[in-house]
Amino acid sequence: MVARAARATDLADLDGAVSNCFACPRLVSWREEVARTKRAAFREQHYWGRPVPGFGTPDARIGILGLAPAAHGGNRTGRIFTGDRSGDVLFAALHRAGLANQPTSVAADDGLTLRDTRIFAAVRCAPPDNKPTPAERDTCAPWLHREVALIRPTLRVVVALGAFAWAAWWPVLRDVYGVRPPSPRPVFGHGAHWSGTAAPELLGCYHVSQQNTFTGRLTPLMLDDVFARAKQLAGVD
């Protein structure tokens, strides 16, 4: 896995390698089972059923780090956060911030483009119950680390969606930037901000899950504030 990720010379090469990963048996079994059985609402659709690569501009100044693809979202459409309610909330916020050309994302060919932004996940396969194991997280980490390395020249800010993504960022500091992660680790919270001297700024944001958005734990205004802060720190107009 480490060697395969390291061999990727650009994002297109990396995305192709990610899409053909079979490293975690439990995740492979689950993603393929979901793609076979499908959800009733999507029974006429062809599911992607593979690992989901990142999406966005190769010269991104803002990175958005999520947990993993949704079983009937990215695992169905082949694009991270596309086709599920979490994505509905996220892309609407990015559109309001001027970082996406449209407020919705329903399919990989729907014309969505991002500005100064790339979205990627700590784990690239949809996990059962949306809960990857620590071993699966660590096995998948080389993909994340290589993706960040490829956009390192421009990347200025990373928005971590949830505590899982926040925790997944610290090994990136060591493996990509050669920076020792802070000890003790900064505590995750909505609006949390960590700043280093030789690595991107890190912002915490509650995950755009239905549990958070339906209960009002995460509101559109809260998302707008986070992306306004990210744009400011990244120098994006």
Side-chain angles (χ1 to χ4, degrees):
M1 172 73 75
V2 175
R4 289 181 64 199
R7 286 196 298 269
T9 57
D10 56 28
L11 289 172
D13 192 19
L14 179 71
D15 292 349
V18 167
S19 299
N20 286 287
C21 183
F22 293 85
C24 299
R26 187 181 80 112
L27 298 187
V28 172
S29 176
W30 173 252
R31 79 195 192 203
E32 293 180 353
E33 174 65 18
V34 169
R36 282 193 300 269
T37 58
K38 305 182 180 181
R39 177 172 284 172
F42 308 125
R43 61 180 176 272
E44 302 302 324
Q45 296 185 20
H46 174 75
Y47 272 55
W48 171 255
R50 297 160 65 185
V52 182
F55 170 69
T57 60
D59 57 351
R61 285 186 275 177
I62 299 171
I64 300 175
L65 178 57
L67 190 161
H72 301 282
N75 188 58
R76 172 174 59 90
T77 64
R79 190 166 69 193
I80 190 70
F81 280 113
T82 289
D84 61 43
R85 292 189 181 274
S86 295
D88 292 344
V89 173
L90 177 62
F91 289 115
L94 292 176
H95 183 256
R96 292 193 300 272
L99 299 173
N101 69 323
Q102 60 191 46
T104 59
S105 179
V106 297
D109 60 354
D110 63 6
L112 176 72
T113 61
L114 301 182
R115 170 176 170 258
D116 289 311
T117 304
R118 188 165 178 89
I119 305 174
F120 34 74
V123 174
R124 304 302 169 104
C125 290
D129 300 320
N130 207 33
K131 294 180 180 178
T133 67
E136 290 162 350
R137 174 201 62 204
D138 295 344
T139 298
C140 209
W143 299 126
L144 171 63
H145 296 185
R146 184 57 180 157
E147 188 157 6
V148 172
L150 288 169
I151 63 174
R152 177 177 176 175
T154 58
L155 187 63
R156 298 292 176 264
V157 179
V158 171
V159 177
L161 297 178
F164 189 95
W166 180 267
W169 179 251
W170 306 120
V172 177
L173 292 183
R174 180 189 63 244
D175 292 352
V176 177
Y177 293 91
V179 174
R180 179 178 295 179
S183 181
R185 303 286 190 267
V187 176
F188 170 77
H190 185 82
H193 179 202
W194 176 84
S195 179
T197 57
E201 310 272 347
L202 180 66
L203 293 176
C205 178
Y206 289 148
H207 196 281
V208 287
S209 66
Q210 292 185 58
Q211 181 179 359
N212 286 337
T213 58
F214 282 11
T215 61
R217 187 172 189 241
L218 178 64
T219 66
L221 180 59
M222 292 166 68
L223 271 175
D224 291 348
D225 287 345
V226 167
F227 287 125
R229 180 64 171 153
K231 289 176 63 179
Q232 179 186 43
L233 291 171
V236 175
D237 295 330

